[in-house]
Structure formats: structure tokens, C-alpha cells
Amino acid sequence: MKKILTILLIIALALFAFSISGSSLVIIVGALAVMTSVKNFKKSGEENSESAESERVRNVMDEFWNTMDSFASKNESKTQDDDGEYETRQSGFFTVKYRKKPKTDSKPNAEYKPQPRQQYTEEQAKRLLRYIHDSTGEDTVRIKPSLFDSSLPFEKRVCASKFGGLPYWTRGEEYPKSEDGANLYLLAQINFAEVPNIADFPVRGLLQIFVNADEPYGCSFDASQKDWRIVWREVFSTSLAMSESELCDMGVKCAGEENEENQLPLKNEYALVFEKTKTYCHPNLCEFDDKLKNAAEVLGFFVYDKSAYEVLDEDSFNAFFEDGAKHQIGGYPDFTQNDVRREGDILLFQMDSEFFKDESGEMSWKNAILWGDMGIANFFISRSDLKMRDFSNVLYNWDCC
């Protein structure tokens, strides 16, 4: 009977310890303590009276609880070094470890405040465009090329404005050459007597731009005129010009000639018509983002710290750009890649890419002006140099898609 009671006591204590701490080590230590005490109790049970037997039972229980209390105290110090996933609580003689419950924010949610739009509305974009349009306009001369009338005698077109063809040149004058000694090709010739006047540009005189016929078209993307050249003439006259045959005898070739060396962006000679207009700041220019932010501030719109590409929808963004080729003198330049202007630069001359119709009325590659893959070429000069008619520090650049 005593054995049965002993076994039941051990099981009860083990279950009690497990329910409190969940630690197998606590159960084992407690069980060993009880078994040891019970064994000692059995050996002396036969020699003592009933009252002595009761005293030993109390001693056994005291020894067990002391053991449990000592173990729990050690476990508490370890729990204090835990990684924060658990918390300790006192339960009777024991310090018990519990897994913490995730914290929840009991505070009421702050009042929802809608975020500003990430783009301007269509109406806002129109007003921004109008403000930029009205505040940034610059006088510009647009150039309209067309195929030259081949039946027109050379003497009639030698001093005319043109893209390609043979240039105006005088006898005894050294012809512009590339670094390897090859004659350069005439890219453009501008007779300013035919051009509507804009501030600081000449009202008369002949500006000639020569380039190499290789694929980069003589461009070194700087102001060093090694494989390209600018020639400026204050005075010129048809009577002083070399004839077509004299130029050919000197080895001068033109864009309209079919030959293996000719890799120019144009294959024909084009007559030019000029029209005065205005151009405006647009998103391909480095200053446009500041212009847009200033316009938004003046109009009382939200000022985004983002580029125009991010805050204007596609239709509004495209509204800043014009259709058609942009051959021009002065005004705002255009680029297919990056804005390369130096500080203080203004646009001296720009030649875009363009297709022209052939005799059948179809667009033809043979009649196209092409800078690479639909690119554009620019020539930049400082305003002070332009006023002085000093064309030695002109920046030549072209890029394409």
C-alpha cells in the first residue's frame, strides 16, 4: 500500500512540475529527489513509530520543495539573459518563463491624410505649358530645305544659302582639309542677307561649315576644328568665286556626288528658305526642370522634387515638342541624348534629320538628311564671340537615338 502511495506521489509531483515550467530537467531532478527521500523513508520506516514516520514524510516534502525552489532560482537568472522573446512570472515557489505575446498598438489610428497627386492633372499641365511658353520664348530662324533645282546654273547658286553642294571659294585661298590632308565637304552655307535678323546675329556675311566625310562627320565633340572647319566671310562676291570646273579640278567634292568616300549625313544639295519664329524651353534641356518648378510655384501648384518625366503624363509631356525637323539658327536647341552646352552657349546653327519625297511622291532614303539613326547636329558659340564674329571656339556636337 505504501509503494502505491509513493508511486502516485511521484507522478502527481511530476505532472505539477511539468504544468508549471514545462522543463524536463525540473521533472527529473524532482523525481530523483522524491525517490531518494522515499528510499530513505522505507529503510527507517520499520524502526520508528507512527509519529516518527509522519515527521519523515514532512522532511521528504520539505527536501523536494527546497530542491525545486533552488532549481527555479537558477533558471530565473538564465531567463534574464534571454533574447527578449520570453518573460518571467512568479508562480508560488517557482519563477516560470512564458513566451511573450506580440505587441499590438492599442492607440486609435491617426486621421488619414491623402497624399498629393504624383502627377499634374491635364488642366494643370496645360497651364504650366502656357506659363513656360509665355516666359521662355526666344527668337529663332527656322530653316526649310528643299532639293535644289539642278537646272539652275552654278553661278546663280554659288553664293546662296544651301545644305551640301559646292561652296563659294576664291582663287588662291587655301581650301579646308582634314588632319589626313583630305578636302572637307560643305555641310552648310548661310548667306545672312537672306536670313531674318535676330539679336546679335549678322545681318550680312557668309557662314560656311565644312566637315569630314567619315562616319563621325569630323566631330570630336569639342571646339578643336581638326576634321571640320568654320569659315566666316564679311565680304564676298559672285565675281570673285571660283567656277564649278575650277573647284572640281582642285579636288573639291560635294554631298550630291556619289562616291565611296561620301558618308555624309546628306546626299544632295538643298536650297534653303528662312522663317522667323520663336522656340521655347522644353524637357530635353537641363534647365527645364527648374523652369517647371518655378511655374508650379507661381501658379500655386504643388512643387514636386522630381523631373518632368515623372510628373507629367505622356500626352502633356509630348505637348512640349514640335512635329517636324528642327533645322534652325538661334533659339533653344534640341538633342536626342544629353544637353552638352557649355555655360553661356547659344545655338549658332542646328541641322536635324529629315526625309524628303522623291519624284514618285514617296519618302526616300536617297533624299534624306540623316545623322546616324535620326539624330541631330548642333554648333554652339558664346554670345560675346558671336558679337565679335569670332568663330574659333565653336562647339560641334551631334547625337542620335
Side-chain angles (χ1 to χ4, degrees):
M1 185 64 178
K2 291 180 179 180
K3 291 182 179 181
I4 295 174
L5 291 174
T6 301
I7 294 171
L8 291 175
L9 178 61
I10 293 172
I11 294 173
L13 291 173
L15 291 174
F16 177 73
F18 182 81
S19 66
I20 293 174
S21 67
S23 172
S24 58
L25 184 57
V26 172
I27 297 169
I28 294 170
V29 171
L32 290 174
V34 172
M35 291 174 66
T36 302
S37 300
V38 170
K39 184 177 180 181
N40 293 333
F41 169 74
K42 287 176 63 180
K43 287 181 180 180
S44 60
E46 297 174 353
E47 302 172 356
N48 295 289
S49 65
E50 186 68 21
S51 60
E53 183 177 346
S54 299
E55 182 65 26
R56 287 190 182 91
V57 170
R58 284 195 296 271
N59 290 338
V60 168
M61 296 305 298
D62 290 340
E63 184 177 350
F64 171 78
W65 290 119
N66 289 336
T67 302
M68 294 297 99
D69 191 37
S70 174
F71 182 82
S73 298
K74 293 179 180 179
N75 197 44
E76 179 182 5
S77 63
K78 182 178 180 181
T79 302
Q80 292 173 352
D81 298 329
D82 211 332
D83 58 2
E85 287 188 29
Y86 297 87
E87 62 183 359
T88 57
R89 299 178 191 171
Q90 195 70 27
S91 177
F93 295 99
F94 300 100
T95 303
V96 184
K97 182 171 70 172
Y98 292 87
R99 186 179 295 274
K100 289 182 180 180
K101 294 181 180 180
K103 292 184 178 180
T104 57
D105 188 2
S106 59
K107 296 181 180 179
N109 292 332
E111 182 181 353
Y112 173 74
K113 293 182 180 180
Q115 295 298 312
R117 288 175 56 89
Q118 296 304 303
Q119 286 188 328
Y120 291 116
T121 65
E122 182 180 354
E123 182 59 32
Q124 287 175 329
K126 287 180 180 179
R127 293 181 62 188
L128 289 167
L129 174 58
R130 173 55 57 186
Y131 183 88
I132 295 172
H133 181 278
D134 292 345
S135 61
T136 65
E138 288 190 2
D139 287 338
T140 307
V141 174
R142 278 289 164 79
I143 305 172
K144 305 294 183 182
S146 60
L147 288 174
F148 232 118
D149 183 359
S150 58
S151 65
L152 193 66
F154 177 71
E155 292 76 14
K156 295 290 185 180
R157 64 181 195 270
V158 63
C159 295
S161 299
K162 64 176 81 174
F163 289 169
L166 291 172
Y168 171 91
W169 208 255
T170 60
R171 298 172 186 86
E173 188 178 9
E174 184 179 359
Y175 193 82
K177 299 180 182 296
S178 64
E179 278 196 307
D180 61 9
N183 288 335
L184 298 178
Y185 285 71
L186 179 68
L187 178 70
Q189 178 172 286
I190 307 296
N191 185 342
F192 276 94
E194 303 170 354
V195 178
N197 183 244
I198 54 178
D200 300 325
F201 279 80
V203 295
R204 64 182 61 85
L206 197 68
L207 181 73
Q208 297 174 305
I209 302 175
F210 296 86
V211 299
N212 205 354
D214 58 1
E215 189 170 345
Y217 317 129
C219 184
S220 56
F221 306 101
D222 57 27
S224 59
Q225 299 183 23
K226 297 178 181 178
D227 286 331
W228 65 281
R229 200 74 43 81
I230 287 186
V231 176
W232 169 249
R233 303 176 187 276
E234 290 279 358
V235 179
F236 60 97
S237 169
T238 304
S239 61
L240 300 175
M242 295 177 66
S243 67
E244 184 174 9
S245 60
E246 287 176 312
L247 288 170
C248 292
D249 291 342
M250 198 169 65
V252 177
K253 298 176 181 179
C254 66
E257 296 181 6
E258 293 291 340
N259 57 73
E260 293 182 359
E261 297 176 4
N262 186 359
Q263 300 181 36
L264 290 172
L266 65 168
K267 304 295 184 183
N268 293 285
E269 182 178 356
Y270 298 89
L272 307 179
V273 175
F274 303 95
E275 178 183 7
K276 188 174 182 178
T277 183
K278 284 185 179 292
T279 52
Y280 309 91
C281 189
H282 57 79
N284 280 352
L285 304 179
C286 60
E287 68 264 36
F288 182 79
D289 286 349
D290 288 337
K291 299 284 187 185
L292 182 63
K293 291 172 183 176
N294 178 68
E297 189 174 41
V298 170
L299 296 175
F301 299 157
F302 186 84
V303 180
Y304 293 101
D305 189 21
K306 297 180 180 180
S307 70
Y309 294 94
E310 298 175 277
V311 299
L312 296 171
D313 62 63
E314 186 175 356
D315 290 340
S316 299
F317 183 83
N318 290 336
F320 285 93
F321 300 102
E322 301 175 55
D323 294 330
K326 295 174 284 294
H327 315 290
Q328 67 188 61
I329 296 168
Y332 285 97
D334 204 357
F335 307 92
T336 58
Q337 299 292 335
N338 300 317
D339 187 340
V340 301
R341 290 172 296 170
R342 303 163 299 188
E343 185 176 355
D345 271 349
I346 62 174
L347 182 64
L348 174 64
F349 169 71
Q350 178 171 285
M351 183 184 287
D352 203 348
S353 293
E354 184 176 5
F355 283 94
F356 299 88
K357 294 180 180 180
D358 58 19
E359 296 80 3
S360 65
E362 299 293 329
M363 295 296 182
S364 169
W365 287 92
K366 290 182 64 176
N367 294 331
I369 299 175
L370 286 176
W371 292 89
D373 184 10
M374 296 301 292
I376 192 166
N378 326 95
F379 295 82
F380 298 107
I381 189 171
S382 70
R383 192 170 293 277
S384 59
D385 283 347
L386 178 61
K387 290 178 178 180
M388 295 293 294
R389 308 298 185 248
D390 178 2
F391 298 95
S392 61
N393 192 33
V394 172
L395 173 64
Y396 167 33
N397 173 80
W398 72 269
D399 54 24
C400 64
C401 299

